Amino acid sequence: MIYDILEVFNKIYETKGERLILDNYNLKDGLYVKINKDNILEFYELKTVKKDKFFSDLDGMQNSDMEEWFIKRDYYSSYINSNKSLFDKKIHNINYLSYFFKAENDDYAKDKIDQHFNILLNFKKFNDKKDKEVLDKYKFVIENGDREEDILKKCEILKNCFDEIIKIIEEKKIKNYIKIFFDEELEKYTNESEIYLSLKIFNDSSYNKKIGDKIYGLSNSNMGLNGKKPFLEHKTRKNAAPFILEGKNALMLKKFFDWLKNQPYNKDRTLDEDHFFIQKQSNNDEAEITDFDYIPTKTDDANKSFTPIYFKNYLYIKDKEENLISDYEIDELWKLEEKIDDLFYNKQLKFNYYKDSKEIKVSDFLSKKLQSILLITRFAMINYFKKYDDREFLYVIKKYGTEFIVNHYLSERYFKAKEAMNLKLSLQGENMDIQQELQNIKTILNNEDEYKNLTKNEFLFLAGQWAYYLLSLSKADSKSKTLSLAEQYFRAKYISKLQNALNNDLEKYKHEVSLNNKKIKKTVTLLKSYHDEEKLTNNDKDRFLVGFMTKNIFWESNKKENVEEIKQ
């Protein structure tokens, strides 16, 4: 993976350079101080208000030019992470041209100024053999007399103006970062950054290996190798590092992760004309790759080859204004992803694509059952919607589609349950005419003299109609009681279980049912006389659910009978 990324990222970086990273680089909230050549201080503040960042002077005037000035220098002055600090985790910068700390540590930072600048004066703190090999390359830069003089001069300037900076911190009640910069050319910042990165770019210098004039080591990016992770080591090799990179490549890999870090979390990242798929998460303010894959199909090609799905309103459901919802076409893959997320996963899929399973908690929107299905199926959805691999997608729909529908119903999301059924049937390309199904059942029930055996589909559809009618007669105090009664039908695995549930509910509500009614009498007889010992498939369950959720012929019949009684 690492070598694949480097090969592609190098090409892009050659074209765009540092702008590739800096164009998306974000400053952290806090106070920004510029020490000019004449030692006059300029103060600016960055605030985040409702996710929007505002960079302004202390009078509230926004200044995008100065923000860009700070962005460039901040990037070349910040440590990789706290474990890669120059000498102290509370001092966050890595050169003598800047000084970073948190406002809460202002007194501590003041006391550490001399130590910080003295380390940068000669880097004698880094006396390990491997570190000396790295620093040897910069010997003439470090020992340059002008550089030494500049460091000592800036150390004194910073100490002399520090009290003024603390005063502003207190007046403005700054609670986060304090970042102080000297007014120097960007090249000077990049040169000093190069020394630091040469020392700290690798995970652990003990794994470093000098070959000729080049130093190879274990990359620190997306890799943690320490006493807590001995399983990552190659125990049978002289150098136990999982892989090593030449310093130049390790630096380029860091730049890649700097770019990745500043990409939006929920944005799909692709490289090499969409051939690499990369998904990241943030861990301690660093980017980590959570998913990486090679995609043989470009995004545009995948969308062009997507076969539109005709979303049919099989159940003839109506909107809030009682208007029949029209059929429509889902003509793009991302639109299907939105529908799947909404109608199957109750908008809990995309939100939880890459979350750790421990972080996916049961809530009002995510039942225990849906949580379980989500954890089982989410990677099949990622493979389809992000990597254009549909091999598992239809399998998931076939196996778990019914569970999505039942979950909505038992969670009292009745309208969404019906929409989910419409989506499942549409994805399967079902050739089903509900109106005709209803008419066929009516014809069977209205024919008083003929008692022919029902087909399995007819039985399941009629059983769904009858079950809904019986449950609707419930005088339970709460919906939860009625839903618990409905669950026995949804979880039935055999026809006999459905028949038992129907018989029990008929016995329970017989005082509400006119058993002398010929249509009802025939319904009961037909449902009791049907025999089938095979286990119900998901398609069978869907047939029952369609009968359960669509327009109910028994309530329709009741209304007509009531009208006739009024007329008489």
Side-chain angles (χ1 to χ4, degrees):
M1 175 185 78
I2 296 299
Y3 298 107
D4 293 330
I5 288 173
L6 278 175
E7 182 181 353
V8 175
F9 190 75
N10 267 318
K11 294 176 183 177
I12 301 172
Y13 184 82
E14 285 173 7
T15 303
K16 297 185 178 181
E18 294 289 81
R19 299 305 315 179
L20 180 63
I21 301 160
L22 295 175
D23 282 349
N24 291 300
Y25 187 81
N26 292 313
L27 295 174
K28 294 179 178 178
D29 284 14
L31 182 70
Y32 287 78
V33 185
K34 180 183 179 184
I35 303 178
N36 290 308
K37 300 285 187 181
D38 56 5
N39 298 343
I40 299 297
L41 306 185
E42 292 182 26
F43 294 94
Y44 300 87
E45 187 177 5
L46 182 75
K47 291 181 180 179
T48 301
V49 181
K50 294 182 179 179
K51 297 185 179 181
D52 292 323
K53 291 185 175 291
F54 296 94
F55 185 87
S56 63
D57 60 26
L58 297 188
D59 294 323
M61 296 294 292
Q62 290 186 252
N63 192 325
S64 58
D65 290 337
M66 281 309 304
E67 182 179 10
E68 186 174 351
W69 187 92
F70 281 110
I71 282 174
K72 293 174 181 176
R73 286 152 182 82
D74 186 82
Y75 178 65
Y76 294 111
S77 300
S78 299
Y79 61 32
I80 295 171
N81 58 48
S82 60
N83 292 324
K84 295 289 183 180
S85 61
L86 197 62
F87 78 102
D88 191 313
K89 291 184 178 183
K90 292 182 180 179
I91 308 301
H92 296 208
N93 66 303
I94 50 86
N95 57 37
Y96 74 89
L97 304 169
S98 60
Y99 200 59
F100 302 169
F101 55 94
K102 286 191 173 182
E104 64 195 47
N105 299 322
D106 55 357
D107 289 336
Y108 180 86
K110 184 178 181 179
D111 293 338
K112 292 292 182 179
I113 292 175
D114 280 327
Q115 188 178 354
H116 176 74
F117 280 83
N118 285 333
I119 287 171
L120 289 162
L121 199 62
N122 49 37
F123 290 92
K124 284 184 178 179
K125 171 184 178 290
F126 300 94
N127 52 18
D128 180 82
K129 179 184 175 182
K130 303 275 187 177
D131 290 337
K132 285 181 177 179
E133 286 181 346
V134 172
L135 291 170
D136 190 57
K137 178 182 175 182
Y138 301 96
K139 182 178 179 180
F140 294 108
V141 175
I142 294 170
E143 294 178 356
N144 182 283
D146 290 339
R147 179 181 181 275
E148 181 178 337
E149 183 182 341
D150 197 27
I151 291 174
L152 295 174
K153 178 184 175 182
K154 283 180 167 53
C155 181
E156 289 303 312
I157 292 171
L158 181 59
K159 286 193 291 185
N160 291 335
C161 68
F162 207 83
D163 287 341
E164 183 181 350
I165 294 171
I166 289 179
K167 184 180 178 181
I168 295 296
I169 293 171
E170 293 171 350
E171 287 179 359
K172 290 294 180 179
K173 298 179 180 179
I174 305 296
K175 300 295 184 185
N176 25 50
Y177 285 92
I178 311 301
K179 298 198 172 188
I180 305 164
F181 299 82
F182 285 93
D183 185 9
E184 294 290 353
E185 293 300 318
L186 188 62
E187 183 180 2
K188 205 167 186 177
Y189 277 87
T190 59
N191 290 341
E192 291 295 320
S193 173
E194 187 179 336
I195 301 173
Y196 163 79
L197 289 174
S198 296
L199 280 168
K200 298 289 187 176
I201 196 67
F202 294 119
N203 178 269
D204 186 336
S205 61
S206 64
Y207 294 105
N208 289 8
K209 181 76 174 176
K210 189 172 183 180
I211 304 174
D213 62 346
K214 295 180 179 179
I215 295 176
Y216 293 78
L218 175 64
S219 169
N220 191 61
S221 301
N222 213 59
M223 170 60 64
L225 185 58
N226 51 47
K228 295 179 181 179
K229 299 178 180 178
F231 50 84
L232 293 175
E233 291 185 344
H234 280 294
K235 301 294 185 181
T236 57
R237 266 188 358 196
K238 187 175 180 179
N239 190 322
F243 67 95
I244 57 173
L245 293 172
E246 194 259 313
K248 182 178 67 175
N249 287 333
L251 179 60
M252 188 57 66
L253 191 61
K254 176 199 176 289
K255 290 180 184 292
F256 165 76
F257 278 95
D258 289 340
W259 168 82
L260 187 63
K261 170 185 171 182
N262 291 298
Q263 301 302 304
Y265 171 76
N266 59 350
K267 179 183 176 183
D268 300 333
R269 277 153 290 283
T270 50
L271 289 171
D272 187 28
E273 297 182 337
D274 297 343
H275 283 302
F276 283 128
F277 172 81
I278 300 167
Q279 179 65 32
K280 65 109 179 193
Q281 69 177 14
S282 293
N283 185 11
N284 294 326
D285 202 35
E286 290 186 82
E288 288 184 353
I289 295 176
T290 54
D291 195 5
F292 172 87
D293 213 340
Y294 178 80
I295 305 172
T297 304
K298 293 182 181 181
T299 301
D300 288 343
D301 292 342
N303 284 325
K304 287 176 184 177
S305 63
F306 176 71
T307 303
I309 293 167
Y310 187 71
F311 189 97
K312 184 177 179 181
N313 186 4
Y314 288 91
L315 299 182
Y316 289 87
I317 57 178
K318 297 179 180 179
D319 59 23
K320 292 179 181 179
E321 285 73 38
E322 288 298 307
N323 297 316
L324 192 68
I325 295 176
S326 301
D327 299 347
Y328 58 90
E329 195 173 76
I330 301 172
D331 56 1
E332 292 186 69
L333 188 61
W334 70 267
K335 293 180 182 177
L336 177 59
E337 182 183 24
E338 292 288 327
K339 280 293 175 188
I340 293 288
D341 186 22
D342 181 22
L343 300 186
F344 284 170
Y345 293 91
N346 200 34
K347 295 189 176 179
Q348 299 300 299
L349 173 63
K350 292 166 64 178
F351 178 69
N352 289 306
Y353 266 153
Y354 290 98
K355 273 191 180 180
D356 188 281
S357 57
K358 294 177 182 177
E359 296 177 14
I360 302 175
K361 307 290 186 183
V362 172
S363 68
D364 292 341
F365 307 99
L366 187 68
S367 67
K368 183 70 176 175
K369 183 64 177 179
L370 185 56
Q371 177 199 47
S372 176
I373 298 172
L374 171 65
L375 293 172
I376 293 170
T377 62
R378 59 177 170 163
F379 291 112
M381 296 299 155
I382 290 170
N383 286 339
Y384 181 48
F385 293 117
K386 305 303 180 187
K387 304 176 186 179
Y388 319 123
D389 181 352
D390 64 355
R391 285 175 293 181
E392 295 176 282
F393 176 71
L394 288 178
Y395 170 79
V396 167
I397 302 305
K398 183 178 180 180
K399 183 171 182 179
Y400 296 101
T402 306
E403 294 291 341
F404 292 126
I405 297 160
V406 170
N407 173 72
H408 284 316
Y409 197 91
L410 295 179
S411 300
E412 300 182 31
R413 295 187 290 268
Y414 308 122
F415 183 80
K416 187 165 281 189
K418 294 178 180 181
E419 283 193 300
M421 176 59 81
N422 279 337
L423 178 58
K424 185 188 180 189
L425 296 176
S426 297
L427 287 170
Q428 294 179 165
E430 290 287 344
N431 184 22
M432 183 186 296
D433 186 341
I434 301 296
Q435 295 285 52
Q436 187 59 53
E437 298 265 359
L438 288 167
Q439 187 56 52
N440 290 345
I441 292 297
K442 287 179 184 177
T443 301
I444 291 171
L445 297 180
N446 288 331
N447 190 340
E448 300 174 10
D449 299 324
E450 184 179 350
Y451 275 75
K452 68 167 189 140
N453 291 329
L454 297 174
T455 64
K456 190 173 189 178
N457 283 344
E458 288 171 343
F459 168 83
L460 291 165
F461 189 88
L462 180 57
Q465 288 271 301
W466 185 234
Y468 179 84
Y469 177 69
L470 291 175
L471 291 178
S472 67
L473 300 175
S474 171
K475 297 294 191 293
D477 296 333
S478 65
K479 284 184 178 180
S480 60
K481 290 183 179 179
T482 305
L483 290 173
S484 65
L485 294 173
E487 190 169 8
Q488 63 181 328
Y489 292 108
F490 301 151
R491 302 302 180 200
K493 295 181 179 180
Y494 293 92
I495 293 289
S496 59
K497 292 292 184 182
L498 280 178
Q499 289 171 321
N500 289 339
L502 290 170
N503 291 337
N504 291 337
D505 282 346
L506 178 59
E507 183 65 26
K508 194 179 298 182
Y509 305 119
K510 63 183 180 181
H511 58 284
E512 298 283 344
V513 177
S514 176
L515 293 175
N516 292 324
N517 181 293
K518 294 179 180 179
K519 187 181 294 185
I520 288 177
K521 193 173 182 179
K522 187 170 185 181
T523 297
V524 173
T525 302
L526 289 173
L527 292 176
K528 282 185 176 181
S529 62
Y530 185 81
H531 181 73
D532 188 311
E533 295 181 355
E534 290 185 8
K535 189 174 182 178
L536 293 172
T537 65
N538 281 333
N539 285 339
D540 294 336
K541 293 176 183 179
D542 288 345
R543 181 67 60 167
F544 173 85
L545 285 168
V546 167
F548 188 89
M549 293 190 293
T550 195
K551 182 171 63 176
N552 192 270
I553 58 173
F554 297 105
W555 275 115
E556 187 182 61
S557 177
N558 274 359
K559 288 177 183 177
K560 288 182 180 178
E561 289 174 6
N562 290 338
V563 170
E564 290 299 322
E565 288 178 8
I566 292 171
K567 286 181 179 179
Q568 292 173 5

